[in-house]
Amino acid sequence: AQSVAQPEDQVNVAEGNPLTVKCTYSVSGNPYLFWYVQYPNRGLQFLLKYITGDNLVKGSYGFEAEFNKSQTSFHLKKPSALVSDSALYFCAVRDTYGGSQGNLIFGKGTKLSVKP
Amino acid sequence: ETGVTQSPTHLIKTRGQQVTLRCSSQSGHNTVSWYQQALGQGPQFIFQYYREEENGRGNFPPRFSGLQFPNYSSELNVNALELDDSALYLCASSPRTSGSSGTDTQYFGPGTRLTVL
């Protein structure tokens, strides 16, 4: 079955420190991978995506993600965290199977908390 | 450029009732997808509309139905509401081309919070 796993329910980081939010995936065929962020009582905002090419993808607000095919991972990173980065982060993979083909399969989300 | 908008923001219904949620897609986007996000969970795909026809469906019963209009806006209808239908309903639009490879980014609206009592 195609799926996305975010192994950490919560990540705590001090402001100014680097952050990593982990994501692993399982999908048939080429993986198309996405990261979204959700602030309280808001919809999802697109951060970045990997389709093909360079394994390091740069996105909005200084975020980047590294695609690792051998480890089936797509971890989100930022060199220096801000308090305003505190939010819920979702990893998603494009479904490649069946009636929902082409749409997104989301992980359960990781809550990022950045302390001053 | 106007983003994805949804209405209403919040809605309270009782079990057994019917509800209609509305979505206006981002300018230039012809495809709309609907997702259900239960509390503490990631969004789950309900269905997608392209060229006014359902173009893919997730694991949701037939009482979840939808429409897409010529201006690409969309409605989600849920009949015979159940308590478990309480969730945030998200609409996403994307600029799908006829030869879509599934690489298009989906842009989400702010959602409609549905509470079923």
Side-chain angles (χ1 to χ4, degrees):
Chain A
Q2 303 184 112
S3 63
V4 171
Q6 294 182 243
E8 302 154 317
D9 290 335
Q10 181 155 346
V11 170
N12 298 311
V13 178
E15 187 174 31
N17 283 359
L19 69 86
T20 299
V21 182
K22 295 180 180 178
C23 172
T24 59
Y25 65 90
S26 174
V27 65
S28 302
N30 293 324
Y32 298 155
L33 296 155
F34 299 77
W35 275 102
Y36 286 85
V37 60
Q38 186 174 38
Y39 295 96
N41 301 313
R42 300 283 294 277
L44 277 67
Q45 294 181 28
F46 170 72
L47 285 177
L48 51 81
K49 68 181 179 182
Y50 172 82
I51 303 300
T52 187
D54 194 346
N55 288 344
L56 185 64
V57 179
K58 294 188 183 296
S60 305
Y61 313 120
F63 284 93
E64 57 189 29
E66 186 170 11
F67 171 67
N68 187 315
K69 187 174 183 178
S70 63
Q71 297 186 2
T72 62
S73 67
F74 189 55
H75 300 331
L76 182 70
K77 301 181 180 183
K78 187 173 182 180
S80 178
L82 299 172
V83 172
S84 58
D85 292 329
S86 298
L88 191 56
Y89 289 80
F90 288 98
C91 180
V93 66
R94 183 75 74 183
D95 197 348
T96 59
Y97 179 79
S100 59
Q101 183 177 6
N103 282 280
L104 297 173
I105 300 169
F106 285 88
K108 293 183 66 175
T110 298
K111 182 179 179 181
L112 174 66
S113 179
V114 182
K115 302 295 187 184
Chain B
E1 183 180 278
T2 305
V4 180
T5 60
Q6 293 185 243
S7 63
T9 304
H10 295 88
L11 204 52
I12 299 175
K13 293 286 189 177
T14 56
R15 195 170 49 183
Q17 285 189 310
Q18 178 266 343
V19 68
T20 297
L21 311 182
R22 294 177 176 84
C23 170
S24 292
S25 62
Q26 186 168 319
S27 177
H29 289 185
N30 57 11
T31 302
V32 172
S33 300
W34 287 91
Y35 292 81
Q36 180 196 67
Q37 185 180 15
L39 198 61
Q41 301 295 318
Q44 285 196 309
F45 172 65
I46 303 174
F47 45 54
Q48 181 186 81
Y49 277 83
Y50 172 64
R51 291 183 174 177
E52 302 178 50
E53 291 190 357
E54 188 178 290
N55 184 52
R57 189 177 184 93
N59 189 26
F60 280 81
R63 60 189 185 85
F64 285 78
S65 63
L67 287 171
Q68 187 180 32
F69 301 98
N71 66 353
Y72 307 131
S73 66
S74 177
E75 289 183 353
L76 164 66
N77 300 291
V78 187
N79 293 321
L81 283 167
E82 301 177 359
L83 297 179
D84 285 348
D85 295 334
S86 295
L88 180 68
Y89 287 85
L90 296 165
C91 167
S93 73
S94 54
R96 174 177 170 174
T97 61
S98 59
S100 174
S101 60
T103 61
D104 300 319
T105 299
Q106 294 186 10
Y107 294 90
F108 285 80
T112 294
R113 174 74 62 188
L114 173 64
T115 302
V116 182
L117 302 176

